[in-house]
Amino acid sequence: MDEQARRRHVAPVPPDVAAPTAEELMVRVAKGDERAFELLYDQLAGPIFGLVRRIVRDTAQSEEVAQEVLVELWRTATRYAPEKGSALNWAMTLAHRRAVDRVRSARAGTERELKATFEAARGRPFDEVAESVTARLERSQVRRCLSFLTDLQRESVLLAYYQGYTYREVAEVLSTPQGTIKTRLRDGLIRLRDCLGVTA
């Protein structure tokens, strides 16, 4: 059912009746209550999309991830325990995990595409290959030097310098304080500089 059709089928809550909380709705959703899920959707779709959009950045992919999170809420509602926290926090945790997974998956896909591009370059005329040798060697050296970074440094550097994320966005994606991210990036760049033999 599309969004407009779904909204037409949802009866408004009478003004003298308090709207159920997300926690109450989750309990009802866990019992298979579709009406409760429609109300929960209305409460949580906006915040979920907002969080996912900040991490994934691409609008179309953010919409996909947000829908996946909402479907997951429906499927896993029985796992929600009200005594362990609010329904919003639980939903936002699911959203954050899904968004980070999508970013990591996209990064892995980019790396596969680069590898495929290098493979496709084989068999081109000599001049074309000769012109790309220097660039490839430089990329190869950068990849080699990246391997000397810690996993945490490398992940931060790739997000900030190869995918264009700001310090704040890297901190959000990795669920890490900005100060820690700045330290990782600084230390990682110093290691890269030393490995590449760049002088100040």
Side-chain angles (χ1 to χ4, degrees):
M1 181 183 302
D2 65 26
E3 179 68 13
Q4 289 182 343
R6 191 182 63 76
R7 288 187 182 278
R8 282 197 299 272
H9 286 87
V10 176
V13 176
D16 58 336
V17 178
T21 65
E23 290 70 32
E24 292 168 339
L25 292 171
M26 281 298 298
V27 171
R28 287 166 50 189
V29 170
K31 296 174 182 174
D33 186 333
E34 293 183 15
R35 166 73 175 138
F37 182 69
E38 291 171 348
L39 294 171
L40 185 69
Y41 184 104
D42 288 340
Q43 285 189 29
L44 300 183
I48 286 171
F49 176 76
L51 173 64
V52 171
R53 180 72 178 83
R54 285 197 302 275
I55 296 172
V56 176
R57 304 205 303 179
D58 176 84
T59 302
Q61 287 198 47
S62 297
E63 289 171 352
E64 286 179 20
V65 173
Q67 286 300 319
E68 290 170 6
V69 172
L70 289 159
V71 169
E72 186 173 358
L73 282 177
W74 169 258
R75 287 179 35 251
T76 62
T78 54
R79 296 184 200 160
Y80 171 66
E83 66 276 7
K84 292 185 178 178
S86 73
L88 177 62
N89 285 344
W90 191 64
M92 296 301 261
T93 298
L94 292 176
H96 186 271
R97 285 183 193 148
R98 283 268 183 170
V100 170
D101 287 346
R102 178 63 64 98
V103 169
R104 288 178 175 157
S105 175
R107 188 171 63 224
T110 299
E111 290 171 0
R112 282 193 301 272
E113 286 176 20
L114 283 172
K115 185 176 180 182
T117 300
F118 291 148
E119 292 296 322
R122 293 180 181 175
R124 290 187 304 175
F126 175 77
D127 288 344
E128 288 181 33
V129 174
E131 287 174 6
S132 67
V133 166
T134 301
R136 285 189 188 182
L137 287 174
E138 288 171 357
R139 283 192 294 267
S140 176
Q141 187 177 8
V142 169
R143 281 197 303 272
R144 182 181 63 80
C145 289
L146 281 170
S147 71
F148 292 119
L149 304 185
T150 67
D151 289 344
L152 296 174
Q153 288 171 342
R154 183 167 49 254
E155 190 168 38
S156 299
V157 167
L158 289 172
L159 285 170
Y161 294 97
Y162 286 85
Q163 295 193 20
Y165 283 67
T166 64
Y167 287 139
R168 183 179 58 78
E169 290 167 338
V170 173
E172 284 181 2
V173 169
L174 301 180
S175 300
T176 304
Q178 276 193 60
T180 303
I181 293 299
K182 288 181 180 179
T183 299
R184 284 182 193 168
L185 287 169
R186 185 196 66 222
D187 294 347
L189 291 175
I190 289 171
R191 281 193 180 189
L192 279 176
R193 181 197 65 196
D194 294 344
C195 177
L196 293 167
V198 177
T199 55

